């Protein structure tokens, strides 16, 4: 986490007063359950030790002034009574959107001065934006003493992203950033929003490898997948793909387009794998974890078509060495981004060395590796 004292000093330099509110909201890694959240299904993420930090102080008026340390110290200013989209400083729309939505549910009496910084790699599929949204919500909840809980905060963050930022994401990222538990993974039922936790197997590391593939067309491809899932659900006459099973899918195969059939096959099988993975994690059953993560990756590659060549190469390199001793798959929305590997501690170094030897020479791209821990969410 960023040094609190340093941030407090920076705040004082910008605003000439002392800050009295410090919040942190984590990014996340998803162990399994990809593109299942907006289908009402299951996901199994963990909050990580990378996130967004905010230092702030309430104001007596309704002005909001924000300094973004990571965007060349750009400054955004607006009134709580006049929140508009900002095309020049895209980052500020996360704050604007969240505060617009928050005010529909809670009266905000005070504006604030804020300094914001974060260390979640952006565009890597580790939810830098959700961690930003949840940090803002936590900050304004504290400053205005709002009775906001983690589930509500997650729903407001998602709504801001759907309606103001323009990405039709599901609920996973905001909910784990708000509700994660230290050293645990969270099974989330995205329909009922019920959560259950289980420890990350002892003596195992969460190894996140950023493929550093530049992601393109992410939003349009993401929204297209959503539409294909909705189409498949409609043909099978269920509200959400969560309600479908393999028998129904086979029965309706001839009425579905090839794409819709494959997308639905991924979601239906991924839901089952996610519930199975929760059980396997509880028993630290590494061969089963290895198998489930492998199947999940292949399903994202072949049926959901969201992986890219360098990511497949990276996963294959790690899988070849890890075998049944751990699991590896792409994590996040897809089209680049990161791979998650659950690795026994004594293999971390050798896996890292193998990636270093093979990934760049096969793809021409240099990876970055993060050994992560599972952390507490902002509202947990
Ligand atoms: C992005 C979205 C999430 C989820 C994942 C895919 O991270 O924000 O809601 O749909 O993609 O699992």
């Amino acid at each position: 986490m960023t040094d609190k004292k340093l941030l407090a000093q920076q705040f004082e330099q910008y605003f000439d007063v002392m800050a009295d509110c410090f919040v942190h909201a984590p990014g996340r890694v998803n162990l399994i359950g990809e593109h299942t959240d907006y289908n009402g299904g299951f996901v199994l993420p963990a909050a990580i030790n990378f996130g967004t930090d905010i230092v702030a102080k309430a104001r007596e008026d309704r002005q909001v002034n924000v300094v973004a340390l990571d965007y060349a110290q750009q400054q955004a200013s607006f009134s709580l009574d006049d929140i508009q989209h900002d095309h020049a400083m895209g980052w500020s729309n996360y704050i604007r959107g969240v505060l617009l939505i928050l005010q529909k549910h809670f009266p905000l009496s005070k504006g604030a001065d804020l300094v914001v910084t974060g260390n979640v790699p952006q565009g890597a599929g580790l939810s830098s934006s959700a961690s930003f949204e949840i940090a803002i919500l936590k900050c304004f909840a504290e400053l205005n003493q709002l009775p906001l809980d983690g589930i509500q905060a997650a729903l407001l963050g998602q709504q801001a992203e759907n309606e103001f930022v323009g990405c039709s994401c599901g609920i996973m990222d905001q909910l784990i950033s708000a509700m994660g538990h230290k050293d645990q993974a969270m099974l989330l039922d995205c329909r009922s929003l019920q959560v259950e936790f289980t420890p990350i197997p002892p003596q195992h590391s969460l190894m996140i490898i950023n493929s550093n593939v530049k992601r393109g067309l992410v939003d349009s491809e993401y929204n297209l997948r959503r539409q294909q899932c909705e189409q498949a659900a409609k043909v099978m006459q269920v509200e959400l793909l969560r309600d479908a099973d393999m028998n129904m899918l086979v029965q309706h195969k001839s009425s579905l387009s090839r794409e819709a059939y494959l997308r639905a096959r991924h979601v239906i099988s991924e839901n089952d794998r996610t519930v199975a993975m929760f059980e396997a994690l509880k028993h630290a059953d590494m061969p089963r974890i290895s198998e489930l993560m492998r199947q999940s990756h292949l399903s994202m590659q072949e049926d959901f078509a969201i992986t890219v060549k360098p990511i497949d190469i990276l996963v294959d390199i790690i899988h070849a060495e890890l075998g049944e001793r751990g699991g590896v798959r792409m994590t996040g929305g897809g089209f680049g981004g990161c791979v998650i590997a659950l690795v026994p501690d004594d293999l971390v170094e050798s896996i890292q060395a193998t990636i270093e030897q093979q990934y760049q020479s096969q793809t021409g791209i240099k990876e970055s590796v993060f050994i992560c821990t599972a952390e507490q969410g902002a509202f947990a």
Side-chain angles (χ1 to χ4, degrees):
M1 202 188 293
T2 325
D3 188 358
K4 236 183 181 181
K5 249 192 187 157
L6 193 72
L7 273 180
Q9 276 170 10
Q10 281 168 309
F11 183 93
E12 213 179 323
Q13 275 164 20
Y14 284 109
F15 295 111
D16 255 352
V17 280
M18 300 248 284
D20 53 14
C21 173
F22 296 80
V23 299
H24 173 84
R28 66 100 186 91
V29 68
N30 190 19
L31 292 177
I32 201 164
E34 223 63 81
H35 288 261
T36 43
D37 60 352
Y38 55 79
N39 289 298
F42 295 93
V43 293
L44 188 53
I48 55 173
N49 53 325
F50 288 83
T52 304
D53 287 287
I54 299 181
V55 281
K57 185 170 178 61
R59 295 176 58 89
E60 291 311 315
D61 60 15
R62 297 180 54 75
Q63 196 64 22
V64 176
N65 302 312
V66 194
V67 179
L69 293 183
D70 310 323
Y71 287 87
Q73 306 179 17
Q74 281 181 357
Q75 301 188 26
S77 287
F78 57 93
S79 158
L80 284 173
D81 301 318
D82 180 25
I83 299 185
Q84 307 287 338
H85 215 272
D86 185 332
H87 298 284
M89 286 185 279
W91 58 268
S92 76
N93 289 324
Y94 292 98
I95 308 173
R96 292 165 194 269
V98 158
L99 294 179
L100 190 69
I101 302 291
L102 183 62
Q103 286 189 93
K104 291 189 179 163
H105 299 262
F106 296 95
L108 289 183
S109 53
K110 294 171 181 166
D113 295 326
L114 308 106
V115 171
V116 177
T117 185
N119 61 359
V120 184
Q122 291 185 17
L126 300 176
S127 298
S128 57
S129 38
S131 92
F132 192 11
E133 291 152 13
I134 294 298
I136 291 287
L137 284 160
K138 178 75 182 169
C139 178
F140 277 79
E142 280 195 8
L143 293 176
N144 289 273
Q145 288 159 0
L146 307 178
L148 184 67
D149 68 29
I151 304 254
Q152 251 179 323
L155 287 166
L156 296 179
Q158 182 199 19
Q159 199 185 341
E161 186 140 346
N162 290 170
E163 292 173 11
F164 197 83
V165 181
C167 169
S168 29
C169 64
I171 190 66
M172 166 169 66
D173 305 347
Q174 289 80 7
L175 212 133
I176 183 68
S177 178
M179 302 285 285
H181 282 185
K182 177 126 187 83
D183 298 329
Q184 301 205 313
M186 180 181 86
L187 179 70
L188 165 64
D189 178 333
C190 297
R191 171 175 269 163
S192 67
L193 301 186
Q194 277 182 347
V195 295
E196 260 186 90
F197 292 89
T198 191
I200 303 294
Q203 279 98 48
H204 284 75
S205 294
L206 292 173
M207 191 169 179
I208 298 177
I209 308 100
N210 190 345
S211 67
N212 286 322
V213 173
K214 275 222 165 353
R215 302 206 302 171
L217 298 174
V218 183
D219 287 353
S220 58
E221 287 293 337
Y222 185 91
N223 293 340
L224 179 61
R225 295 300 179 286
R226 267 197 92 137
Q227 282 163 21
Q228 290 166 336
C229 291
E230 281 159 16
Q231 255 171 31
K234 205 167 165 197
V235 170
M236 289 190 275
Q237 294 175 320
V238 290
E239 190 203 343
L240 291 163
L241 281 184
R242 158 74 179 272
D243 304 311
D245 60 27
M246 282 299 174
N247 286 336
M248 289 168 76
L249 184 65
V250 172
Q251 274 167 24
H252 289 88
K253 189 171 179 186
S254 58
S255 327
L256 288 161
S257 70
R258 176 86 188 137
E259 273 81 25
Y261 170 76
L262 291 175
R263 306 303 180 248
R265 192 165 72 174
H266 164 75
V267 173
I268 294 169
S269 61
E270 184 79 349
N271 268 330
D272 292 345
R273 280 188 292 270
T274 305
V275 175
M277 174 86 163
F278 187 66
E279 285 308 307
L281 273 180
K282 273 191 195 163
H283 301 106
D285 180 349
M286 296 320 287
R288 182 78 174 129
I289 288 171
S290 168
E291 185 194 349
L292 290 166
M293 290 178 81
R294 182 71 187 157
Q295 284 168 5
S296 169
H297 186 78
L298 294 175
S299 176
M300 290 190 289
Q301 183 182 336
E302 291 158 11
D303 286 1
F304 218 66
I306 51 170
T307 70
V308 291
K309 194 81 201 150
I311 286 270
D312 294 334
I313 291 175
L314 188 53
V315 166
D316 287 349
I317 291 171
I318 300 168
H319 180 68
E321 179 151 343
L322 203 49
E324 287 200 329
R325 290 172 295 176
V328 56
R329 58 185 281 285
M330 185 194 78
T331 185
F335 308 99
C338 289
V339 159
I340 169 73
L342 197 55
V343 179
D345 289 341
D346 58 359
L347 281 186
V348 167
E349 263 179 41
S350 69
I351 299 260
Q352 208 165 334
T354 306
I355 300 169
E356 222 164 87
Q357 278 157 21
Q358 298 184 20
Y359 177 67
Q360 190 175 13
S361 67
Q362 289 186 41
T363 62
I365 312 166
K366 178 75 187 141
E367 76 286 348
S368 346
V369 177
F370 312 98
I371 309 298
C372 288
T373 48
E375 295 297 329
Q376 200 73 2
F379 286 81

